[in-house]
Amino acid sequence: MQEPRQLHCRLCASAAFSLIELLVVVAVFLLLTTLYWSHGPSKRDTDLTACRQHLEKIYLAMEIYARDYAAKYPVATNALDSEDALVLLVPRYTSDTSDFLCPASGDTPLPAGKSFRDWKISYAYYMGRRSADVDTTLMSDAQVNSFSKNTGDTVFSSNGKPPGNNHGKGGGNFLTCGGAVVSSGDNAPFSLELRPPIVLLNPKP
């Protein structure tokens, strides 16, 4: 009678996991979890994607405006900043003013009853463009200055401090007149030359 019981106990012991085996399984799970999350999108990529979506929505309003104004995008006489020109889109061509804020910038939403012109947005605007200027830059994240830039010149903050630091020191986005959005580091990936009548308007500091 004793032998079957001992055999049964030996089978139970051999079927159970040892402490070392359990630790190995846990370690494998931790490794797989780490690999999975390390290959997920970074905060910079997530911020640039959200910013890209805002610029794409503004582009739709720009295109509707251009159809009403002989293929010209908004132009404001004596404009000093991008707010002065882009106010022409609100509220007729878009009423969602939150699109004019880069999600990573920390800029505050437009308070109720406040004029768009008196507000601070996040984006720079190349005033004077037409919808036919397909491969040229129409808008971008705020830039370090309002001058022409050659390929490789600093366009966005390289130290995370203003100006041009919508994404800290994580670069920014460019919106073209064709509706494409290009992400970049802090150096210009292509020429951003200004020729009359094109003027680069940065947002209010």
Side-chain angles (χ1 to χ4, degrees):
M1 291 296 209
Q2 294 284 340
E3 288 184 13
R5 189 175 299 167
Q6 288 176 351
L7 179 62
H8 176 71
C9 291
R10 284 192 198 123
L11 288 174
C12 289
S14 64
F17 286 105
S18 70
L19 180 59
I20 292 176
E21 289 171 327
L22 285 173
L23 289 174
V24 168
V25 170
V26 169
V28 169
F29 276 118
L30 286 173
L31 178 63
L32 291 174
T33 303
T34 302
L35 289 173
Y36 174 80
W37 288 111
S38 67
H39 290 290
S42 66
K43 183 178 186 313
R44 175 185 181 272
D45 291 340
T46 302
D47 286 344
L48 286 171
T49 299
C51 177
R52 182 183 302 122
Q53 291 168 347
H54 282 215
L55 287 168
E56 288 169 347
K57 290 178 185 175
I58 296 172
Y59 178 74
L60 293 177
M62 290 279 210
E63 282 294 283
I64 298 169
Y65 180 98
R67 286 184 200 143
D68 287 352
Y69 288 90
K72 296 178 183 175
Y73 294 120
V75 173
T77 305
N78 300 323
L80 299 175
D81 45 52
S82 55
E83 291 88 353
D84 287 341
L86 297 178
V87 68
L88 299 172
L89 297 174
V90 181
R92 182 172 179 182
Y93 298 96
T94 180
S95 58
D96 190 355
T97 56
S98 65
D99 288 334
F100 293 87
L101 297 178
C102 170
S105 68
D107 291 331
T108 56
L110 177 65
K114 190 172 181 66
S115 167
F116 183 92
R117 192 184 300 275
D118 300 328
W119 184 49
K120 175 178 167 38
I121 67 172
S122 304
Y123 298 112
Y125 173 53
Y126 285 82
M127 187 173 73
R129 300 277 196 222
R130 303 172 63 92
S131 58
D133 302 333
V134 177
D135 294 326
T136 58
T137 303
L138 178 61
M139 292 181 67
S140 74
D141 279 290
Q143 297 188 20
V144 292
N145 57 48
S146 56
F147 305 136
S148 287
K149 296 171 185 72
N150 296 316
T151 304
D153 287 350
T154 301
V155 62
F156 302 122
S157 176
S158 58
N159 59 11
K161 297 179 181 178
N165 65 328
N166 283 3
H167 296 270
K169 55 181 179 180
N173 284 315
F174 298 93
L175 170 69
T176 71
C177 294
V181 180
V182 178
S183 297
S184 165
D186 56 346
N187 295 327
F190 37 69
S191 176
L192 296 166
E193 187 177 357
L194 297 172
R195 294 180 181 175
I198 310 305
V199 177
L200 173 58
L201 300 172
N202 253 327
K204 291 182 178 79

